[in-house]
């Protein structure tokens, strides 16, 4: 390599060395947990040198050398280390070397978590989004200065490759031929788990099982060898648009993290072995005879002074304003008011499943960046509930397609897809099977906007068929809304009729934040007795219904209210129909509120309705204990205490672990019209 590149690499490596030593010497100041890239510098810098501003990179928590090579300054990294207000990545909200960026002059970086290996799915989603935009319109992509197509780098440690979600990402990348490079840095340690303890094979050997995943080994402590390898791999991916795995052998010269120190678990023999392959020592040996030692000494003195000054400046920088702690939970949505015709003249009623289908069909016709994927949604079947029927035929396999049984990938890939400008609508086939995807929803999606200070909200719609519908059994009848509602940073809709379904689906698509659409299977076709009202006139194409706006599904008579003889039922989904049917036994005395969205929640309507009646029943299909309904009852009790004439009642399913298959047992577990009527009667009599 030429003198200029060798000196550049040595300067960056010496920066990393001085940074690590500065952090170690100031442990009372660098009190937040952090890792350094000591031992990994060569492969990281070699990778950075191949990248263009059009590229996308997902570093992991030991990748500060990669960040320096991409153009970030030590001072900027130190601002994150010390959780300062001007931390350019997270504003003091996340750990050292947890970057995200949309800077035009540098490769882009989505937010990713500390959960090792989890970044492979969102980052593969970036590559999937690039691949999709290349198919529909290459001009939608940012290119390099000479027209180069973007590549995606996903950096991870070898110990994290044993995570199951990594295999989902590899599988999808080779299946679709995505332009992604998995850079696996192998220092032979997890935390205190050695390679021999934790894996049957290394990442290079593991990659052999994924047909179509090209792979290469490299000595990641050798800067020149690393540059040669990464240059060849990046060039191949730019030209041939196919995935690679680079297995780079490195050494670990510092602590796992500042909190898990090397002396806790590593022997002197192990530390000495790793020290022999220190990249900065190896590079200095290469410089010997090529560069005047005095020049190197001068460089080292300059870097030492630079790092000392940068650290002092970072220490003196201002802390975040505590008043800003709730900023960036969501970015604003353009849908804030109900618009369009809800019930146009001359149109026929439609069932809920078709209302969703028609909404998505209209969105796809208008927006080429919109695409649909999930299990069995492709044109051969169009969804197990026919909820995507005809879409594949109309828009093609590149826009509507099946996935494997990979709930984690289906959900987590939306992070990367959204980042590059695609707008995914994805489906988890049954609510009972959302749990394999929960890690991505909680760890990556829900935190992305907040921890990126609004740079990376995840715009996606996750469709989840939910609820019992008569003999669905223990794995196809579950309700998961309370579990979802513990996750902050997502929005949740639960429509109960066709018009709401279409309006909320449109609002969900145009919302730049993540939305989960809970769609009751028992209401899809209005085949469950008493759910005929779920069919409505199909709203106009421009109809949108904002989140956080409930509706009165059944009004009580004014006389009953004035005489203090009424009550209200606060509910959603199938509960709307149980409540309306039960209310027939109490003519004019029951008002039913349909929440329509569970987060955001229309508290104004709920509290106003409860204050008007003084008696309230919170009704849910979920098992009652520790449910959303119980939490809502508590909020109602606090907000409406002075207006209540009786304690807030709650009715949900029995507290059993699953919905039984036998329909008689199912009815015994779930709320029914008779059970709701009995509870209303008791409430009115109290």
């Amino acid at each position: 390599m030429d003198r200029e590149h060798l000196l550049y690499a040595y300067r960056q490596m010496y920066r990393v060395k001085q940074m690590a030593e500065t952090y170690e010497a100031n442990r009372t100041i660098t009190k937040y947990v952090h890792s350094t890239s000591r031992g990994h510098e060569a492969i990281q810098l070699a990778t950075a040198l191949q990248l263009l501003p059009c590229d996308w990179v997902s570093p992991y928590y030991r990748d500060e050398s990669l960040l320096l090579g991409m153009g970030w300054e030590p001072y900027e990294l130190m601002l994150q280390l010390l959780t300062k207000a001007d931390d350019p990545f997270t504003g003091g909200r996340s750990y050292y070397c947890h970057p995200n960026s949309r800077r035009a002059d540098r490769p882009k970086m989505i937010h990713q978590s500390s959960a090792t290996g989890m970044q492979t799915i969102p980052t593969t989603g970036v590559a999937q989004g690039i691949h999709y935009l290349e198919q529909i319109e290459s001009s939608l992509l940012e290119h390099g200065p000479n027209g180069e197509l973007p590549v995606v780098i996903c950096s991870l440690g070898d110990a994290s490759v044993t995570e199951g979600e990594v295999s989902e990402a590899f599988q999808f990348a080779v299946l679709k031929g995505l332009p992604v490079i998995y850079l696996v840095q192998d220092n032979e340690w997890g935390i205190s788990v050695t390679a021999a303890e934790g894996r049957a094979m290394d990442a290079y050997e593991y990659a052999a099982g994924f047909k179509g995943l090209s792979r290469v080994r490299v000595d990641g402590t050798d800067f020149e060898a690393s540059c040669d390898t990464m240059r060849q791999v990046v060039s191949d991916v730019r030209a041939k648009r196919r995935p690679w795995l680079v297995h780079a052998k490195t050494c670990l010269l510092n602590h796992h993290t500042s909190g898990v120190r090397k002396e806790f678990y590593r022997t002197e023999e192990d530390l000495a072995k790793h020290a022999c392959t220190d990249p900065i020592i190896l590079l200095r040996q290469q410089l010997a005879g090529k560069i005047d030692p005095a020049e190197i000494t001068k460089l080292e003195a300059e870097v030492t002074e630079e790092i000392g000054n940068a650290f002092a400046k970072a220490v003196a920088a201002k802390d975040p304003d505590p008043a800003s702690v709730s900023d960036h939970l969501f970015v604003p949505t353009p849908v804030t008011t109900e618009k369009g015709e809800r019930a146009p003249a001359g149109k026929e009623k439609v069932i809920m499943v078709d209302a969703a289908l028609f909404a998505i069909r209209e969105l796809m016709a208008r927006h080429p960046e919109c695409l649909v994927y999930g299990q069995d949604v492709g044109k051969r079947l169009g969804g197990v509930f026919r909820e995507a029927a005809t879409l594949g035929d109309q828009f093609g396999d590149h826009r509507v397609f099946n996935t494997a049984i990979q709930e984690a990938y289906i959900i987590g890939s939306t992070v990367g897809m959204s980042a590059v400008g695609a707008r995914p609508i994805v489906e988890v086939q049954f609510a009972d099977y959302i749990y394999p995807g929960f890690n991505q929803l909680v760890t990556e999606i829900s935190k992305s906007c907040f921890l990126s200070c609004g740079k990376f909200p995840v715009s996606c719609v996750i469709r989840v068929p939910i609820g019992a519908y008569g003999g669905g059994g223990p794995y196809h009848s579950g309700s998961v809304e309370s579990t979802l509602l513990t996750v902050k940073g997502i929005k949740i809709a639960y429509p109960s009729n066709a018009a709401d379904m279409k309006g909320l689906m449109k609002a969900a698509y145009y919302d730049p934040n993540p939305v989960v659409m809970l769609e009751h299977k028992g209401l899809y076709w209005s085949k469950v007795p008493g759910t005929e009202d779920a069919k409505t006139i199909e709203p106009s194409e421009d109809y949108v219904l904002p989140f956080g706006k409930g509706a009165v599904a059944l009004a009580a008579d004014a006389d009953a209210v004035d005489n203090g003889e009424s009550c209200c039922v606060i509910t959603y989904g199938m509960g709307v129909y149980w409540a309306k049917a039960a209310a027939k036994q109490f003519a004019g005395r029951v008002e039913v509120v349909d929440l329509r969205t569970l987060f955001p929640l229309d508290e104004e309507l709920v509290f106003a309705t409860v204050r008007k009646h003084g008696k309230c029943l919170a009704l849910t299909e979920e098992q009652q204990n520790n449910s959303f309904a119980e939490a809502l009852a508590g909020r109602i009790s606090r907000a409406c205490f002075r207006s209540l004439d009786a304690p807030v009642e709650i009715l949900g399913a029995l507290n059993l672990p699953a919905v039984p298959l036998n329909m008689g047992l199912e009815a015994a577990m779930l709320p029914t019209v008779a059970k709701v009527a009995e509870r209303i009667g008791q409430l009115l009599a109290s």
Side-chain angles (χ1 to χ4, degrees), residues 174-196:
V174 298
L175 182 67
K176 299 295 183 180
L178 302 183
V180 60
I181 299 164
Y182 301 103
L183 172 60
V184 179
Q185 299 173 61
D186 184 4
N187 61 31
E188 296 188 344
W189 284 99
I191 297 179
S192 66
V193 178
T194 65

Side-chain angles (χ1 to χ4, degrees), residues 275-296:
C276 290
T277 53
D278 184 343
I280 194 169
I281 293 176
L282 297 178
L283 185 56
R284 206 177 199 287
Q285 291 170 354
Q286 286 182 273
L287 294 175
K290 297 181 181 179
I291 297 173
D292 185 347
E295 185 175 355
I296 296 176

Side-chain angles (χ1 to χ4, degrees), residues 328-644:
H328 308 298
L329 177 59
F330 296 110
V331 293
T333 174
V335 180
T336 57
T337 58
E338 187 173 2
K339 294 181 180 178
E341 290 188 77
R342 182 175 173 90
K347 297 194 77 171
E348 295 183 355
K349 287 186 175 183
V350 296
I351 55 178
M352 270 184 64
V353 72
D354 283 349
L357 173 66
F358 299 158
I360 294 172
R361 185 171 66 192
E362 291 167 358
L363 288 167
M364 296 189 73
R366 182 179 291 268
H367 302 286
E369 66 274 18
C370 177
L371 70 166
V372 173
Y373 56 96
Q375 296 167 31
D376 299 303
V377 301
K379 64 184 178 183
R380 188 177 298 111
L381 181 60
V384 295
F385 298 100
R386 303 293 288 161
E387 68 279 9
T390 74
L391 293 178
D393 289 315
Q394 184 171 353
F395 297 105
D397 293 337
H398 65 299
R399 294 188 67 189
V400 182
F401 56 88
N402 294 328
T403 66
I405 303 172
Q406 293 182 331
E407 287 84 3
Y409 189 87
I410 292 167
I411 290 175
S413 61
T414 64
V415 175
M417 295 286 283
S418 171
V420 300
R423 299 295 290 270
I425 299 174
V426 300
E427 181 181 309
V428 172
Q429 200 165 79
F430 290 90
D432 309 74
Y433 301 129
I434 197 172
Y435 298 105
F438 224 69
N439 191 15
Q440 289 291 324
L441 185 65
V442 175
T443 307
E444 309 296 340
I445 291 178
S446 70
K447 296 176 174 62
S448 184
C449 185
F450 182 71
L451 292 180
S452 69
C453 294
K455 293 190 292 294
F456 286 100
V458 180
S459 182
C460 67
V461 180
I462 302 170
R463 300 184 66 185
V464 182
I466 192 170
Y469 54 106
Y475 295 103
H476 298 82
S477 306
S479 293
V480 298
E481 57 264 34
S482 290
T483 306
L484 287 166
L485 284 161
T486 64
V487 183
K488 314 310 174 190
I490 63 174
K491 298 184 180 183
I492 302 171
Y494 203 138
S496 69
N497 60 67
D500 289 352
M501 172 71 88
K502 186 171 185 183
L504 290 171
M505 185 69 75
K506 291 288 184 76
Y509 178 82
Y510 290 116
D511 198 314
N513 302 289
V515 175
V516 177
M517 293 286 297
L518 299 178
E519 306 173 13
H520 200 291
K521 302 185 295 290
L523 301 178
Y524 262 161
W525 297 83
S526 287
K527 289 184 177 179
V528 174
T531 62
E532 184 68 21
D533 286 350
K535 298 178 185 177
T536 70
I537 298 294
E538 183 194 354
S540 60
E541 182 174 347
D542 62 345
Y543 180 68
V544 290
L545 180 62
F547 278 51
K549 299 294 182 183
V552 176
L554 178 69
D557 291 345
D559 288 345
V561 176
D562 292 342
N563 294 332
E565 299 174 342
S566 65
C567 71
C568 63
V569 180
I570 311 298
T571 189
Y572 54 94
M574 187 62 79
V576 173
Y577 298 94
W578 292 327
K580 287 170 67 175
K584 292 178 181 178
Q585 301 179 34
F586 309 94
R589 300 178 65 189
V590 179
E591 190 151 309
V592 179
V593 169
D594 181 356
L595 295 175
R596 303 203 286 200
T597 65
L598 307 186
F599 190 89
L601 182 69
D602 192 346
E603 288 188 345
E604 183 179 352
L605 175 62
V606 170
F607 296 160
T609 304
V610 173
R611 289 177 183 131
K612 181 170 74 171
H613 297 279
K615 296 179 179 180
C616 172
L617 169 64
L619 174 62
T620 180
E621 183 174 327
E622 283 194 293
Q623 292 91 326
Q624 182 173 319
N625 280 11
N626 304 316
S627 65
F628 162 66
E630 281 199 334
L632 179 58
R635 288 154 73 179
I636 291 171
S637 296
R638 285 191 300 273
C640 305
F641 180 75
R642 295 184 182 278
S643 303
L644 289 172

